[in-house]
Amino acid sequence: MPLPLLLMGLWAWRARLALILMLLWAGGAAVILLWPRGHVARAQVAPAETTSFAISALLSPQAPGLGQGLDTRPGGNFAIYLAALRSPEAARMLTTETALLQTMERARQDSPLSGLRVLLGLNRALDADDVLAWMERYVSVTQNLGSITWSLELTHADPALALESLISLHRFAEAKVRADLAEQAARRVAALEARLFGESDVFLRNSLYDLLAQQQRAGLVVAADEAVAARLIAAPMVEARASRPNRPLLIGLWVLVVPFAIFLAAAGLLLTRITFRDAALVTRSPAMQGD
């Protein structure tokens, strides 16, 4: 179909297309404006191995290699810290130490779809798995470009609960790394002391004493240092005004996308109708000629 004919066909539908455009604009804007907004709680952290005294160097007899400084991926205790932030254990912690689960339950009961959920028999009680799914959507960990710091963000409609949840997640992840390191050092100390108790060779005993001193130093560093995984660069804070989602941006994108989508849909419908019409004419032509 030539382009001028296609444009003429679209121009003939201009009233219908304009009505559809206005309806979609109004409907989309209403949905965006009625979308619940959330407050963002933020914190800036940095790997403890790269700030102050290097914990990894104090815990191991050899310092890290120079090549590791060129790798921007998280490693060591900080990688474990990042993984623990959105782990199932962290979700269970939020269900017991914060009011997040109760808030999610109230929001679900107030939802317009609560009646349909009850009718379909899907009105089960929320649990830690639902909190974990919520964390995957509203808890983000982003590395800042050009620096070693990382941004932790948590979005919730209640600013106080958002700040409390973010602080709880940071404390949980830091405590998990600390507990794992302390437990590891304690097990090694116990094993070395048991070996020393039954070892009579003087040279072996001196080597074991060196290993024992290293593990005792590790336990002391873990117990004394303030941060063994992530050091807080900026304390957790929550914004006073809700900023998620970005309504002006979404409305602007909706205004730009809808006309383009309507144009493509109308052009496709017009081309489809013309194609079927031509196919019908071609099918009837041989029959007419035979008659």
Side-chain angles (χ1 to χ4, degrees):
M1 182 180 183
L3 180 60
L5 293 180
L6 177 61
L7 295 179
M8 290 177 59
L10 294 177
W11 179 253
W13 290 355
R14 62 185 181 278
R16 303 175 186 177
L17 297 180
L19 179 60
I20 295 174
L21 177 64
M22 297 303 296
L23 291 177
L24 288 179
W25 269 348
V31 172
I32 294 173
L33 293 176
L34 293 176
W35 200 324
R37 305 197 74 188
H39 298 260
V40 180
R42 296 183 177 89
Q44 296 287 334
V45 298
E49 287 88 351
T50 59
T51 59
S52 185
F53 291 103
I55 302 300
S56 59
L58 293 175
L59 295 184
S60 61
Q62 295 180 355
L66 296 177
Q68 297 179 3
L70 301 178
D71 193 355
T72 59
R73 295 175 299 177
N77 299 327
F78 188 68
I80 300 175
Y81 166 86
L82 295 179
L85 282 174
R86 290 185 290 183
S87 63
E89 293 83 359
R92 286 195 292 268
M93 179 274 301
L94 289 179
T95 60
T96 57
E97 296 186 6
T98 66
L100 181 61
L101 188 63
Q102 292 78 2
T103 304
M104 293 174 59
E105 185 67 36
R106 288 195 299 268
R108 189 175 70 163
Q109 295 300 328
D110 297 337
S111 172
L113 300 178
S114 59
L116 179 61
R117 190 180 296 108
V118 174
L119 183 62
L120 297 177
L122 302 176
N123 194 28
R124 62 173 181 82
L126 297 178
D127 51 22
D129 291 338
D130 298 290
V131 177
L132 181 61
W134 178 89
M135 292 171 57
E136 292 177 354
R137 293 180 57 188
Y138 296 105
V139 178
S140 62
V141 182
T142 308
Q143 185 178 14
N144 298 323
L145 299 178
S147 66
I148 61 172
T149 60
W150 292 65
S151 298
L152 310 181
E153 294 186 355
L154 187 147
T155 306
H156 197 272
D158 186 354
L161 184 57
L163 182 60
E164 179 187 3
S165 301
L166 183 61
I167 294 175
S168 299
L169 286 176
H170 169 71
R171 291 176 177 173
F172 168 80
E174 181 69 27
K176 176 175 176 56
V177 177
R178 183 185 301 274
D180 291 344
L181 291 176
E183 182 183 2
Q184 182 185 65
R187 288 199 309 267
R188 292 178 177 179
V189 167
L192 289 171
E193 288 179 346
R195 178 65 184 274
L196 280 169
F197 182 77
E199 183 60 53
S200 59
D201 187 275
V202 177
F203 296 101
L204 289 178
R205 287 177 65 87
N206 291 334
S207 300
L208 292 175
Y209 275 125
D210 292 337
L211 294 176
L212 180 61
Q214 294 174 9
Q215 299 308 316
Q216 289 175 341
R217 179 183 62 179
L220 179 62
V221 170
V222 170
D225 203 298
E226 178 182 359
V228 297
R231 189 174 303 278
L232 278 174
I233 305 302
M237 298 291 291
V238 64
E239 59 187 8
R241 292 176 295 180
S243 62
R244 301 285 179 84
N246 191 338
R247 287 177 177 173
L249 177 61
L250 292 178
I251 291 177
L253 293 176
W254 184 253
V255 170
L256 294 176
V257 169
V258 169
F260 184 69
I262 292 177
F263 174 79
L264 291 181
L269 179 60
L270 184 60
L271 291 174
T272 303
R273 292 180 59 178
I274 293 176
T275 301
F276 279 108
R277 186 192 64 184
D278 294 342
L281 292 176
V282 171
T283 304
R284 289 196 299 266
S285 296
M288 296 176 61
Q289 294 174 0
D291 294 340

